[in-house]
């Protein structure tokens, strides 16, 4: 789950990470009141789950009340790369002497957190990595040992930060790591992390991604979900308890089990197609879950054909067939379906589908044949 900037900063503040004073606002009046309370100059910042806000005009400096009002009016309702701005964050302006970059991400390949620090903050870190990879100091942390003072010093020396801020940067990194672990995040990023004119180190931005699977342990974080910024298909799937990721193709894909679905995506691509989604209906999928899955897949207007790839184990193929029959009765889909059933009760499942004589539905014996057929029909 991604947090808006101000939500990330509030989470940082709870963990002792220094951040500028600020307040969220959903109306022009609230923004002006916040600016008056914080004092001028202040910054009005669009709150959307996308980068490039500054270049799009979503971050403005206000030197007085009139400018704060004008900026809030311009930013609220603005469209930034497909995201509509419903909130702004009004923040006390900071005097910036230097801009650094800091982040902690869970490195799945290494199976441990990766801490990164660079003196080239305030720009896309991907550009820095491509142009000057040595400008980014990296360090993996043993989860059992945790982040230590010598880790901070090694990163600071490796990145080449100014000598007088090595200690405060180390303290901020330590607090970031505590937030990363304590809030069960998969990413915390500060870009820029600034050094102020009086040599304080402050998190001027906050990008935080929390582990969805851990939210039951953090109900206060679960309430922060910004549904307005989510993809409608992914939101629909989550509400129905389905594991779904939207992709940019036109072949809808459903399987039972993450590994099988990943393999199906690969085989569709091998056959020359472009998957429109990852959808894992899970083990033991019942007819109701299959009907819900079909509704989610077809809610994407880009889908021109659908592939069902079921390997029956805990999941019974006859249950999947009944779910498909019910889905066709309720939804009456106008795109072709290709179904491959194998495993528990597969013969019964294929018999049910044959007797139902569903329009525009095809069955195939193998995954490769099913992928080739769905690509042909799409």
């Amino acid at each position: 789950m991604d947090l808006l900037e101000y939500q990330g900063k509030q989470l940082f503040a709870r963990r002792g990470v220094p951040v500028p004073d600020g307040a969220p606002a959903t109306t022009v009046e609230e923004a002006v009141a916040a600016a008056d309370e914080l004092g001028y100059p202040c910054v009005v910042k669009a709150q959307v789950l996308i980068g490039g806000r500054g270049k799009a005009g979503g971050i403005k400096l206000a030197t007085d009340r009139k400018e704060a009002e004008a900026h809030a009016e311009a930013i609220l309702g603005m469209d930034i790369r497909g995201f509509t701005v419903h909130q702004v964050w009004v923040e006390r302006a900071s005097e910036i002497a230097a801009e650094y970059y800091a982040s902690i991400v869970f490195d799945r390949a290494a199976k441990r957190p990766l801490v990164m620090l660079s003196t080239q903050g305030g720009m896309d870190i991907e550009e820095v990595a491509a142009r000057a990879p040595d400008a980014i100091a990296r360090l993996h942390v043993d989860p059992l040992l945790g982040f230590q003072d010598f880790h901070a010093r090694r990163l600071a020396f490796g990145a080449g930060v100014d000598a007088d801020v090595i200690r405060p940067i180390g303290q901020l990194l330590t607090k970031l790591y505590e937030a990363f672990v304590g809030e069960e995040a998969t990413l915390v990023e500060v870009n820029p992390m600034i050094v102020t004119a009086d040599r304080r180190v402050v998190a001027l931005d906050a990008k935080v991604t929390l582990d969805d699977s851990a939210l039951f342990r953090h109900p206060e974080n679960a309430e922060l979900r910004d549904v307005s910024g989510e993809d409608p298909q992914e939101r629909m799937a989550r509400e129905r308890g389905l594991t779904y990721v939207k992709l940019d193709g036109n072949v809808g894909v459903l399987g039972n089990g993450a590994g099988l679905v990943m393999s199906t995506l690969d085989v569709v691509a091998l056959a020359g197609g472009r998957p429109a989604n990852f959808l894992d209906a899970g083990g033991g999928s019942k007819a109701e879950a299959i009907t819900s899955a079909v509704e989610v897949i077809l809610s994407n207007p880009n889908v021109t054909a659908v592939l069902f790839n079921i390997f029956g184990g805990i999941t019974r193929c006859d249950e999947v067939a009944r779910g498909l029959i019910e889905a066709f009765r309720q939804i009456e889909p106008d795109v072709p379906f290709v179904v491959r059933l194998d495993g528990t009760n597969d013969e019964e499942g294929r018999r049910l589908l044959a007797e139902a004589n569903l329009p525009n539905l095809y069955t195939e014996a193998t995954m490769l044949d099913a992928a080739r057929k769905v690509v042909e029909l799409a």
Side-chain angles (χ1 to χ4, degrees):
M1 183 180 82
D2 294 325
L3 300 187
L4 295 167
E5 175 200 359
Y6 85 90
Q7 295 171 330
K9 284 182 173 175
Q10 290 173 339
L11 182 149
F12 283 176
R14 292 203 309 267
R15 291 286 175 172
V17 178
V19 296
D21 293 335
T26 57
T27 67
V28 174
E29 293 75 19
E30 289 178 356
V32 172
D36 286 343
E37 183 175 348
L38 291 165
Y40 299 95
C42 64
V43 183
V44 182
K45 308 176 77 172
Q47 297 299 290
V48 286
L49 296 173
I50 196 72
R53 294 173 299 163
K55 296 177 182 177
I59 300 177
K60 295 291 186 181
L61 176 69
T63 57
D64 56 35
R65 195 174 200 272
K66 185 177 180 180
E67 286 188 355
E69 182 176 14
H71 294 331
E73 287 179 348
I75 293 173
L76 283 168
M78 174 186 288
D79 181 272
I80 299 179
R81 295 169 60 186
F83 289 79
T84 302
V85 180
H86 300 289
Q87 290 178 294
V88 294
W89 173 249
V90 184
E91 181 175 272
R92 180 174 289 124
S94 301
E95 295 185 26
I96 301 173
E99 295 185 347
Y100 294 160
Y101 170 91
S103 71
I104 306 171
V105 62
F106 185 75
D107 186 340
R108 297 184 184 278
K111 299 181 182 179
R112 58 185 60 194
L114 172 64
V115 186
M116 292 182 281
L117 180 67
S118 175
T119 57
Q120 299 190 29
M123 61 182 71
D124 291 338
I125 197 62
E126 294 82 5
E127 293 181 10
V128 177
R131 175 174 45 81
D134 292 341
I136 305 173
R138 300 171 174 86
L139 185 144
H140 284 98
V141 178
D142 184 333
L144 297 178
L145 178 63
F147 190 79
Q148 303 294 322
D149 289 344
F150 72 87
H151 289 143
R153 290 192 293 271
R154 183 182 300 175
L155 284 165
F157 288 125
V161 306
D162 293 340
D164 65 322
V165 292
I166 289 177
R167 186 179 296 277
I169 284 177
Q171 292 170 345
L172 189 145
L173 288 175
T174 298
K175 294 296 184 182
L176 276 184
Y177 188 83
E178 291 173 359
F180 179 85
V181 174
E183 303 292 341
E184 298 190 74
T186 58
L187 168 71
V188 295
E189 181 182 81
V190 180
N191 189 21
M193 174 176 68
I194 65 166
V195 179
T196 65
D198 57 358
R199 310 308 285 174
R200 291 182 300 110
V201 179
V202 178
L204 195 61
D205 193 18
K207 183 177 181 180
V208 177
T209 301
L210 301 174
D211 184 352
D212 280 1
S213 301
L215 288 178
F216 72 95
R217 288 191 288 265
H218 305 275
E220 71 284 0
N221 290 341
E223 296 175 358
L224 299 177
R225 188 181 295 276
D226 178 28
V227 296
S228 66
E230 293 183 350
D231 179 86
Q233 278 82 42
E234 293 185 357
R235 183 168 67 248
M236 181 190 301
R238 189 186 69 253
E239 291 170 350
R240 299 179 182 207
L242 299 170
T243 303
Y244 175 95
V245 178
K246 187 175 181 179
L247 304 174
D248 58 2
N250 64 321
V251 177
V253 174
L254 178 141
N256 59 312
L260 180 62
V261 180
M262 292 296 290
S263 299
T264 306
L265 300 183
D266 289 341
V267 174
V268 168
L270 179 67
R274 296 171 58 241
N277 64 270
F278 170 106
L279 198 158
D280 174 14
S285 300
K286 300 296 183 181
E288 314 88 76
I290 297 300
T291 302
S292 292
V294 171
E295 290 176 342
V296 170
I297 291 173
L298 295 183
S299 66
N300 180 356
N302 295 330
V303 171
T304 58
V306 178
L307 171 59
F308 266 49
N309 187 18
I310 302 297
F311 185 80
I314 299 173
T315 302
R316 290 168 39 191
C317 293
D318 58 325
E319 281 284 354
V320 174
R322 290 188 181 93
L324 256 179
I325 293 168
E326 180 63 21
F328 268 66
R329 186 186 68 80
Q330 293 182 16
I331 305 170
E332 299 181 357
D334 57 0
V335 301
F337 276 64
V338 178
V339 181
R340 178 251 187 174
L341 299 176
D342 193 14
T344 306
N345 291 359
D346 56 352
E347 293 183 2
E348 174 69 6
R350 286 191 290 271
R351 183 187 65 78
L352 290 170
L353 292 177
E355 291 177 354
N357 194 28
L358 301 175
N360 223 6
L361 184 141
Y362 307 83
T363 58
E364 294 289 346
T366 70
M367 181 163 61
L368 182 58
D369 287 341
R372 287 170 175 163
K373 185 65 175 180
V374 78
V375 171
E376 174 190 329
L377 295 169

